[in-house]
Each structure stands twice: as C-alpha cells, then as structure tokens.
Amino acid sequence: MGVTHTSVPSGPRLAAPVSDHPWRRANERSAAGPQDSVLVAIIARGDGDAFAELYHRHCDAVRRQLRHLLGNDALADELLQETFLQAWQQADRYEDRRASARAWLLVIARSRALDFLRSQQARVRRESSVAAGDSWLRSNPPVGLRDLEAAERRQRLLRALAELPMKQRQCVELAFLRGLSHSEMAERLREPLGTIKSRVLLGIRRLRQALASDASPAAGLSAARGR
C-alpha cells in the first residue's frame, strides 16, 4: 500500500490552539483549559478551534499507539489523520460517562489499525492464492484447443488402424509404434522383406484414405516410414 501524507479531508484545519477563543475565556478558572468532554461537545457543533485543541492534546498518545500496532511511522501518521477525521465526524456520539476523550480516540485509532491489518492480511492471502493457482496451472496446463485436436486425431488414427487387415495393421504398428525397420520386422515375423514392405505401404495408403480430412497423422506416418 502506497503511503500518502495528506491533511485531514473534509475536516477543520489543525491550527495551534487559540488562546482567546470563547470556550477558553469561559474556562479561565482552569489552568489546563476546558475539559476534554467540553471540547468534544463544542467540536460536535463544528468548531475547528476546539478540534485543534483536542488534536494537540492527544495526537502524541494516539500516534504512539498506532506506531506500536503498525510498526511503521508513515502508516501511523496516515492513520492518525484518519482517526481524528473520524473523531470530528462522530463527535456528537461521544459519551463522557463511558470513557475519557483520550480513551475514545485510542479506541478509534485501534479500530483503524486493526481494519488496516486485516485488509493487508486478506490481500496477502489473495495474492498467495493467486500465486498458488498460477503455480498449479504451470504444472497442470489447461487442455487447450491444440490438445483437444491432437487427442481427436489420435482417436481417429486408432480407429483407422483398427479397420486395417490384421497383417497390415501388425506391420504398421511394428513400424510406427515400435520403431522397427523393415528388415527387423521381416526377421521377427519370418516373412519376406518385400512382403513386409508391401504390407506397410498398403496400410499407409488405407490410413491416408481414412484420415483424408486430416492429413497430419498420415504425414507423421510417412515421415516415420523413412527411419
């Protein structure tokens, strides 16, 4: 995943806290400024300065958690932006009786980080599955058109061989399936050499006639005959 650093989209500018903002004057009695719950309530009304104050108070803690979970500073900074964007968008849902603002932000950040890690794991699984599939296909290539045509030609050749007279078929099979020469066949079958040659020639002619629509097998037999 490429990391891009952008400012929080559709949210307020994270400027430095404004010292004379109305909510500061209203809480001058507190040296630490307004409570976080007050800030979030003001943020829910769309106040960017309150949001900036909340960000400056808690961004370091949120970043530390993201770095711990992700192990990557650049990713942590990216998800930090997303965390505070979500806080800006969902400020009206915050309930201070359930958790402090910092705890609320850390929960958002943790959820963001876990979502990212799950998506990465899913991507790795998909890529591993694709790689395994590619490996399987390389070892088990699909039956393509050429394979189907070759299988069909082989079946037609076998049928044509089966239709030859027995002695012609025997000579053709010995010549082209066993690789015997005419002399070797004559010796093996105890037949004259001329008879063997005639049977092979007649068998090839019959095969050519049977396979007239596909000359490839007959051509292959003719090429083999020269051995």
Side-chain angles (χ1 to χ4, degrees), residues 159-212:
R159 288 195 298 268
L161 277 171
E163 293 173 359
L164 292 177
M166 183 186 67
K167 290 186 177 181
Q168 291 180 13
R169 182 175 71 249
Q170 185 181 36
C171 289
V172 170
E173 289 178 346
L174 287 174
F176 304 118
L177 300 183
R178 301 286 183 85
L180 299 183
S181 67
H182 290 163
S183 299
E184 290 171 334
M185 284 188 288
E187 182 180 352
R188 179 167 181 167
L189 297 175
R190 298 182 180 181
E191 295 277 3
L193 182 59
T195 300
I196 294 298
K197 290 182 178 180
S198 295
R199 289 174 182 170
V200 171
L201 181 60
L202 290 172
I204 290 174
R205 287 176 178 172
R206 287 176 179 266
L207 288 176
R208 283 175 174 167
Q209 292 173 356
L211 302 172

Side-chain angles (χ1 to χ4, degrees), residues 96-115:
D96 61 342
R97 59 184 177 81
R98 299 183 62 180
S100 67
R102 174 170 291 193
W104 174 61
L105 290 168
L106 292 175
V107 167
I108 294 175
R110 183 174 184 276
S111 178
R112 285 281 181 176
L114 292 179
D115 286 346

Side-chain angles (χ1 to χ4, degrees), residues 25-148:
R25 294 198 302 270
N27 291 272
E28 286 178 352
R29 64 181 180 278
S30 172
Q35 294 182 347
D36 288 342
S37 58
V38 174
L39 286 178
V40 177
I42 298 172
I43 291 169
R45 299 199 293 269
D47 192 291
D49 291 312
F51 178 79
E53 176 69 17
L54 187 74
Y55 178 86
H56 283 282
R57 287 184 184 183
H58 303 295
C59 64
D60 288 342
V62 174
R63 185 184 288 111
R64 281 195 300 272
Q65 175 171 270
L66 289 169
R67 286 175 176 172
H68 174 72
L69 292 172
L70 299 170
N72 183 294
D73 289 353
L75 286 174
D77 288 341
E78 183 176 334
L79 292 189
L80 177 71
Q81 297 283 336
E82 295 182 9
T83 296
F84 276 90
L85 172 61
Q86 184 173 338
W88 167 263
Q89 294 171 336
Q90 299 178 356
D92 59 338
R93 302 182 190 178
Y94 171 69
E95 298 180 21
D96 61 342
R97 59 184 177 81
R98 299 183 62 180
S100 67
R102 174 170 291 193
W104 174 61
L105 290 168
L106 292 175
V107 167
I108 294 175
R110 183 174 184 276
S111 178
R112 285 281 181 176
L114 292 179
D115 286 346
F116 173 81
L117 293 174
R118 290 189 191 103
S119 68
Q120 289 295 94
Q121 290 173 352
R123 181 182 62 79
V124 170
R125 285 195 296 269
R126 287 194 302 270
E127 291 177 353
S128 298
S129 177
V130 170
D134 288 344
S135 176
W136 185 90
L137 286 174
R138 285 192 294 269
S139 302
N140 303 273
V143 179
L145 180 60
R146 291 183 180 179
D147 296 323
L148 291 173

